[in-house]
Amino acid sequence: MKLKIIIIFLLLDSISSQQKYLSPEDVKSEWQDYTSFQRQELVNFATFLYDEEFYERALLVYFQFLYKYPGDELEMAAYFKIGKCYEMMENWDLAENYYNRIIEKAPEGSVESNAASYQLHYISLETEEYNKVIEKTSETSDPYNLIFRAYAHFEKLEWEDSKLSFRAAQASFDHDYYSKQINSWYSAIKTAENAPLKNKIPALLSSLFPGGGFLYLKQKENAIGSMGASLLISAAMVSSSVISQKNSLSIKDNK
């Protein structure tokens, strides 16, 4: 009798289990919340590592994310953060590779494409490829591209071309805040045009940070203005306040 009861119990348990998972769709639904949680945890961990400047470890997690979730809505954001990791490690070639990948995959003129383009200009400035920036922005009307163009001309000591690009950016922004920032650059250009090169070494050292030239010439007010204006370059790189989706891996970077 006891044996019959045990057999009946096992049969009922088996039937109950079969009814619980009648199809693959039921299994998929059952695990959906779990896999979503895993995905978000991976995103959070990657973001933490990047924010803490563990760029090599962050790269591994971003690559893991791309492998586990191919075609995910955050794919472009992951590529961007991979580019940023390589950029922070000064591996310019690999950084450019991933920014170009975004430009190839994202729609032209999209937030993702524009952000990647700005980063490529920034790398060109960092690597002193000023002609590349000037060439890439020759037909632009984008105010941020014009800022990069103006800065490239400034670095080449091409004062008139720099002023023209700043004026075009100013007109395109058409906003008092940006006009005030750009006005500081006109003072910088005017000073640079007339600046005597007293000593090559301090002049070189003063050029290593925004406004350094003004401090070298003992013009502190203009130095402060120039330092503020240099934030326009940072603004260009995060101009679209975010490239993110819900529960997202943000492309917005710390200035």
Side-chain angles (χ1 to χ4, degrees):
M1 183 67 178
K2 290 183 178 179
L3 179 61
K4 287 183 179 180
I5 292 173
I6 292 172
I7 293 172
I8 291 170
F9 177 79
L10 291 173
L11 287 172
L12 289 173
D13 186 62
S14 175
I15 292 169
S16 175
S17 298
Q18 290 175 7
Q19 288 175 342
K20 187 175 181 180
Y21 299 111
L22 295 177
S23 70
E25 289 301 317
D26 292 326
V27 177
K28 181 179 179 181
S29 176
E30 188 77 15
W31 284 85
Q32 186 173 10
D33 290 340
Y34 177 69
T35 55
S36 296
F37 173 78
Q38 279 189 315
R39 172 182 177 275
Q40 189 56 43
E41 284 298 295
L42 201 59
V43 168
N44 292 343
F45 186 46
T47 302
F48 166 78
L49 290 173
Y50 180 86
D51 290 344
E52 294 299 315
E53 301 181 6
F54 298 122
Y55 301 120
E56 290 185 357
R57 294 174 63 186
L59 278 172
L60 295 176
V61 182
Y62 289 128
F63 284 126
Q64 185 180 5
F65 178 87
L66 291 172
Y67 176 77
K68 283 190 171 184
Y69 305 101
D72 189 89
E73 63 178 352
L74 297 180
E75 182 181 29
M76 294 298 104
Y79 283 145
F80 189 92
K81 297 301 283 189
I82 289 171
K84 286 296 297 179
C85 284
Y86 282 127
E87 185 183 311
M88 299 305 291
M89 295 162 63
E90 297 189 4
N91 193 328
W92 309 117
D93 289 339
L94 285 176
E96 286 181 346
N97 178 54
Y98 281 92
Y99 293 140
N100 281 319
R101 190 172 299 191
I102 294 171
I103 292 171
E104 290 170 5
K105 291 192 172 190
E108 185 177 356
S110 65
V111 173
E112 294 92 340
S113 179
N114 286 342
S117 177
Y118 297 148
Q119 292 301 136
L120 288 174
H121 293 329
Y122 174 75
I123 289 174
S124 294
L125 291 179
E126 283 290 308
T127 55
E128 300 183 1
E129 296 182 278
Y130 306 124
N131 287 332
K132 182 185 286 189
V133 176
I134 293 168
E135 180 183 347
K136 293 286 186 181
T137 58
S138 60
E139 303 294 330
T140 189
S141 58
D142 182 311
Y144 292 111
N145 280 334
L146 288 167
I147 291 294
F148 282 112
R149 181 179 179 83
Y151 194 84
H153 280 302
F154 184 88
E155 288 291 337
K156 292 186 67 181
L157 312 184
E158 296 170 348
W159 314 124
E160 289 303 317
D161 289 330
S162 183
K163 282 190 284 188
L164 286 172
S165 294
F166 276 125
R167 287 191 188 112
Q170 201 168 20
S172 186
F173 279 125
D174 192 23
H175 193 284
D176 288 343
Y177 171 79
Y178 293 105
S179 292
K180 184 178 180 180
Q181 297 294 313
I182 291 171
N183 283 339
S184 298
W185 280 101
Y186 299 141
S187 298
I189 291 170
K190 183 177 180 180
T191 301
E193 285 178 312
N194 301 316
L197 190 59
K198 298 177 182 178
N199 187 300
K200 290 183 179 181
I201 293 176
L204 175 61
L205 293 175
S206 70
S207 69
L208 295 179
F209 61 94
F214 288 128
L215 291 176
Y216 169 63
L217 295 170
K218 300 181 180 180
Q219 297 182 22
K220 294 182 180 179
E221 291 183 4
N222 284 336
I224 294 169
S226 179
M227 290 174 185
S230 68
L231 291 177
L232 286 169
I233 299 297
S234 297
M237 291 186 289
V238 291
S239 61
S240 307
S241 59
V242 289
I243 299 180
S244 59
Q245 294 80 20
K246 91 182 157 178
N247 297 325
S248 70
L249 184 71
S250 175
I251 283 190
K252 181 178 178 184
D253 189 34
N254 187 302
K255 292 182 183 181

